[in-house]
Amino acid sequence: MGNSESRSYSPNQQCSSSKIDSHGTISRTDSQVEYVEAIVCQSTDLKENEMKVFDIAEHGKVLLVKQKGEFSAVGPKCTHYGAPLNTGALGDGRVRCPWHGACFNLKTGDIEDFPGFDSLPCHQVTVTDKGDVKVRAKLADLKSNKRVKDIGIASPCDSTAVVVVGGGPSGATCVETLRSEGFKGRITLVCKEKYLPYDRVKVSKIGTATDIEKLQARNQQYYEEANIEVLKGVEATKVNTEERIVELSDGSKLTYSALYLATGSKPRVPIIPGIELSNIFTVRNFDDAMNILNQLGSDKEKDVVVLGLSFIGLEVASSCVSKAKSMTVIGKDTAPLGQIFGTDIGKSLQTLFENNNVKFHFKTTVVKCNGENGVLKSVELENGEILPADMLVLGIGTTFYTDFIKDSGINLLPNGAVIVNDKLETNIKNVYAGGDIAHAPVFANNNDQMSIGHIGLSQYHGLVAAKNILKRETPLHTVPYFWTMLFGKSIRYAGCGRPVSSLIEGNVAELKFVIFFFDKSDKVISVASCMRDPVVSQFAELLHQGKSIYKKDLESDFFAWTTTIN
C-alpha cells in the first residue's frame, strides 16, 4: 500500500516484447510484480463510445472502452460499493458510476469525483496490426479491482504544515490528496471521534455495519507510512488566524501554514419538554448507530418513533422496522419526501413503507416527550395524540460545527456556514473550508453559493482544497448527487435548484420512474429516478460538461440527450 507499485500504466504505453500466440495468455514477473497479458478481443468488437467487460483468461475481468479511436482498460467495478461500471455513464475521458456518481479517469484510473477513496487499476493496452486488442495487467490488480494512489515518500519538515480539522470524508480526502500530490510538509488530521476516518454512508442504515475497522477508509499503518499525524478523540476549540494557531480540547496547540476546516454538521435537537430523557437518539456517527442498534435489541419489543420525513429518518425507519415491535414516522409534510418528489411519488413511497409495517403521522410533530425514572415512555404530538415510544430517533435537520471559529475573523453566515470562494478559500488567506459547512459556489447551479451536506460533495471539496493549498489553481466544478435505498428501491437525484414544474416518465405506482425538474425557463435543473439507472448518472455527467436540456428536448424522446455526453 502506498508504494511505487500502486502506480498504473498508461493505456497507450508500449507492451514488452513478450510474444503471444493466438488468444493465449502469458504470465511473467517483473520487479517482484506478476503480470498477465492476453488478447481480449478484436478492435472491431467495440464501437466508438462503447464499453464492455472482457475476461483475461481465468485471471479476472477488465472494462475496455473505445473512445476517439483509442482503447482504455480499467477495473470493471466502482471502488465504492462495486457497481458494474459498464452500466454507468460514459463521459468524455471518464466513466461515472451508475449507483452513486463516482467518476474515474479512463487513462489513469484515478478517482476524480466521489464517493469512495480508491482509484481503479489501469491496464496497458496495445492493438496489433491484425486488430488484436491486448491487455497487460497486474494479477494483484485483477484480484482487488482497487488501487491506492501513490503517496510517495514523505519527509516532513517543520517549515510547512497543513492542519485539517475534521475526520470525516472531506478531511480524509484532503490529507490523502496532499500526500499523493507531493506535499512534503507536516500534515495533522484532527478527529473529534475516537476513530480513523470511516464510511459514514452506512451510519443511518442501522445494523448494516457494526465493525468500525471494516468501515474505516484506511488503517493506522497507511497514515503512518504517509507521515500523516491523526489526532483522535480531540476537537478544535479556537482558531487564531493572526498567529496561525489551532487550539485543541486537550490543551495542545497546532501551528499551521495552511488550514482546512471540514468539521461537518451536527443533528438538530428540538427544544421541547422531556427531550433530555434517555433513549432519545440522533443519527450522525458510528456511535449513534451502535447505540440505536443496542437499544433495539433482538426481541422486537420496542415501540420506535422517528421524527422527520427526511432521507435520514426514512433510512432509519426502513432499516430498523424488522427489529422493532412497532415503527412510526412523524413529520410536517403530507408524504415521505413529498417536498422533493411531489405528492404522487410521495404517496407511492408511503405505500411501500406501510406494506413493510411502517406507520405515518403527517402534518404534525412531537411537542413533548413523557418518561418514567428518566426513561422515555411516550411522545405527545401537536394534535394531542400520545404514542407509546420506547425509543425516539431524531431526523429533523442539522446545524454546523463552527462555533469555535466565530471569533476568528473568518466570515460566517448567520446560520454558521463558512463563506468561501470557488477555490474553497475563506476571507483569510490560506484558510480553507469544505464539506457541509462550506457556503460554496455550485457549478450546476450557475455557480450560486449553497451549503450542501452530502458525502460525495464533501470528498470532492477535500480534493479541491488540497490542490489549492498546493497552489494548483483548481476551481470548484460541483454537480450535487444524492441517493438512498429504501426497502430495496434505489432512488437517485442529481442537480439542484428550486423547481417550478416537473415531468414524470415511467410508472410511479410501481416506483420505476424518472422525474425531470424544470426552472421557470423550462430548463432541466435536476433529474431523479427510482430503479432506472443509469439515467441520473448520465444527467450528472451532462451537467458536469456544462450542457443543458429543456422541456422541448424531451418531447419526442425523453432520453435522446444521453447520446451527447461522450
Side-chain angles (χ1 to χ4, degrees):
M1 180 180 294
N3 57 34
S4 60
E5 298 302 338
S6 66
R7 296 187 187 276
S8 64
Y9 283 93
S10 166
N12 295 312
Q13 227 177 322
Q14 292 298 312
C15 287
S16 68
S17 59
S18 300
K19 184 178 179 181
I20 300 180
D21 296 321
S22 186
H23 284 67
T25 62
I26 287 183
S27 296
R28 57 179 295 164
T29 301
D30 292 338
S31 302
Q32 307 303 314
V33 179
E34 191 172 3
Y35 293 84
V36 62
E37 187 172 29
I39 297 172
V40 298
C41 67
Q42 298 297 301
S43 60
T44 54
D45 289 341
L46 264 72
K47 300 175 183 177
E48 179 69 11
N49 289 320
E50 188 176 13
M51 48 185 179
K52 291 182 179 180
V53 175
F54 291 96
D55 292 311
I56 298 187
E58 73 280 3
H59 299 290
K61 299 178 183 293
V62 298
L63 178 67
L64 196 66
V65 183
K66 185 177 183 181
Q67 195 169 68
K68 298 178 182 178
E70 295 184 353
F71 289 88
S72 302
V74 295
K77 296 181 180 180
C78 179
T79 61
H80 182 224
Y81 284 172
L85 292 175
N86 64 305
T87 65
L90 179 61
D92 184 6
R94 68 183 195 165
V95 60
R96 184 183 287 267
C97 171
W99 292 354
H100 308 135
C103 297
F104 302 90
N105 187 291
L106 292 175
K107 295 298 181 184
T108 65
D110 288 350
I111 188 167
E112 295 184 341
D113 209 339
F114 304 85
F117 283 88
D118 296 319
S119 295
L120 293 173
C122 188
H123 311 300
Q124 184 177 345
V125 181
T126 56
V127 181
T128 69
D129 293 339
K130 295 180 180 180
D132 297 332
V133 180
K134 298 178 183 178
V135 175
R136 183 174 187 259
K138 296 177 186 176
L139 286 175
D141 283 347
L142 292 173
K143 182 179 180 180
S144 69
N145 191 62
K146 295 182 178 182
R147 177 174 58 85
V148 180
K149 291 186 71 174
D150 188 0
I151 55 176
I153 300 175
S155 302
C157 57
D158 292 334
S159 60
T160 57
V162 176
V163 172
V164 176
V165 182
S170 198
T173 303
C174 183
V175 298
E176 283 199 24
T177 304
L178 285 169
R179 274 293 182 251
S180 66
E181 292 290 324
F183 180 69
K184 300 300 183 184
R186 290 184 291 120
I187 300 176
T188 305
L189 179 62
V190 179
C191 303
K192 181 179 181 180
E193 295 181 70
K194 59 185 178 182
Y195 311 114
L196 295 173
Y198 60 88
D199 180 5
R200 294 173 181 267
V201 171
K202 295 182 178 178
V203 164
S204 55
K205 289 81 169 173
I206 309 299
T208 58
T210 58
D211 186 340
I212 187 61
E213 290 190 359
K214 292 182 179 179
L215 277 184
Q216 288 172 347
R218 305 288 184 229
N219 58 25
Q220 183 64 35
Q221 180 183 356
Y222 172 88
Y223 292 106
E224 290 175 357
E225 291 180 354
N227 277 310
I228 297 170
E229 182 182 15
V230 182
L231 304 180
K232 295 180 289 185
V234 64
E235 58 184 306
T237 56
K238 184 178 180 180
V239 173
N240 184 329
T241 56
E242 292 185 358
E243 297 183 17
R244 295 189 175 186
I245 292 174
V246 177
E247 297 183 15
L248 304 180
S249 56
D250 62 1
S252 61
K253 297 180 180 181
L254 300 172
T255 59
Y256 64 84
S257 303
L259 174 65
Y260 181 53
L261 302 170
T263 43
S265 50
K266 53 186 173 182
R268 190 183 300 276
V269 178
I271 302 175
I272 57 175
I275 197 65
E276 75 286 347
L277 291 169
S278 64
N279 297 343
I280 297 177
F281 303 91
T282 56
V283 187
R284 192 64 190 174
N285 57 42
F286 177 77
D287 285 345
D288 291 339
M290 291 305 299
N291 289 337
I292 292 171
L293 185 64
N294 291 335
Q295 186 60 35
L296 273 170
S298 57
D299 298 328
K300 297 184 179 181
E301 59 183 11
K302 301 292 173 59
D303 292 308
V304 182
V305 173
V306 175
L307 178 60
L309 291 164
S310 64
F311 284 110
I312 294 294
L314 295 176
E315 287 177 353
V316 169
S318 64
S319 61
C320 290
V321 63
S322 64
K323 307 175 184 71
K325 177 182 177 182
S326 70
M327 176 65 66
T328 305
V329 181
I330 312 294
K332 285 285 194 178
D333 204 352
T334 58
L337 304 179
Q339 290 186 351
I340 300 174
F341 296 121
T343 302
D344 290 344
I345 293 173
K347 291 299 183 183
S348 291
L349 287 170
Q350 178 183 343
T351 300
L352 173 69
F353 273 73
E354 289 175 343
N355 289 341
N356 283 278
N357 301 315
V358 177
K359 300 176 182 178
F360 288 96
H361 286 261
F362 299 115
K363 297 183 178 181
T364 190
T365 190
V366 175
V367 295
K368 185 180 180 183
C369 298
N370 302 312
E372 296 177 6
N373 300 318
V375 180
L376 179 71
K377 292 298 179 182
S378 66
V379 295
E380 183 175 334
L381 305 186
E382 201 171 36
N383 58 13
E385 188 172 356
I386 296 177
L387 302 178
D390 299 300
M391 298 174 62
L392 173 63
V393 183
L394 304 174
I396 54 172
T398 57
T399 58
F400 302 117
Y401 276 118
T402 54
D403 289 347
F404 72 102
I405 56 173
K406 285 186 175 179
D407 299 323
S408 65
I410 298 171
N411 287 342
L412 306 176
L413 292 177
N415 66 358
V418 184
I419 301 170
V420 297
N421 63 18
D422 66 347
K423 311 293 191 308
L424 291 175
E425 192 170 27
T426 69
N427 60 301
I428 306 294
K429 187 174 177 58
N430 295 320
V431 176
Y432 300 79
D436 296 7
I437 68 173
H439 189 66
V442 178
F443 176 77
N445 193 36
N446 300 312
N447 280 319
D448 290 343
Q449 289 180 286
M450 300 176 67
S451 299
I452 298 175
H454 194 264
I455 184 173
L457 181 58
S458 292
Q459 286 197 261
Y460 177 68
H461 279 183
L463 175 89
V464 171
K467 290 187 175 181
N468 286 307
I469 287 170
L470 295 171
K471 306 307 178 187
R472 298 174 188 171
E473 298 291 307
T474 306
L476 288 168
H477 199 92
T478 303
V479 178
Y481 195 114
F482 307 87
W483 75 86
T484 189
M485 179 74 78
L486 302 170
F487 294 114
K489 301 295 184 181
S490 59
I491 297 173
R492 325 279 187 216
Y493 182 101
C496 62
R498 188 177 296 276
V500 298
S501 63
S502 62
L503 180 64
I504 297 174
E505 189 278 332
N507 192 316
V508 172
E510 294 179 1
L511 288 172
K512 190 174 182 180
F513 62 83
V514 178
I515 179 169
F516 299 87
F517 297 97
F518 308 98
D519 65 11
K520 61 184 179 180
S521 71
D522 281 344
K523 178 182 176 181
V524 181
I525 57 174
S526 54
V527 170
S529 76
C530 185
M531 306 302 287
R532 288 288 296 275
D533 296 337
V535 65
V536 169
S537 288
Q538 290 170 322
F539 181 71
E541 193 60 25
L542 184 95
L543 290 181
H544 182 270
Q545 294 175 11
K547 299 175 181 176
S548 301
I549 52 173
Y550 291 81
K551 184 179 290 186
K552 62 181 177 58
D553 299 318
L554 309 178
E555 291 176 354
S556 60
D557 185 343
F558 277 100
F559 306 107
W561 55 270
T562 61
T563 63
T564 69
I565 63 174
N566 48 46

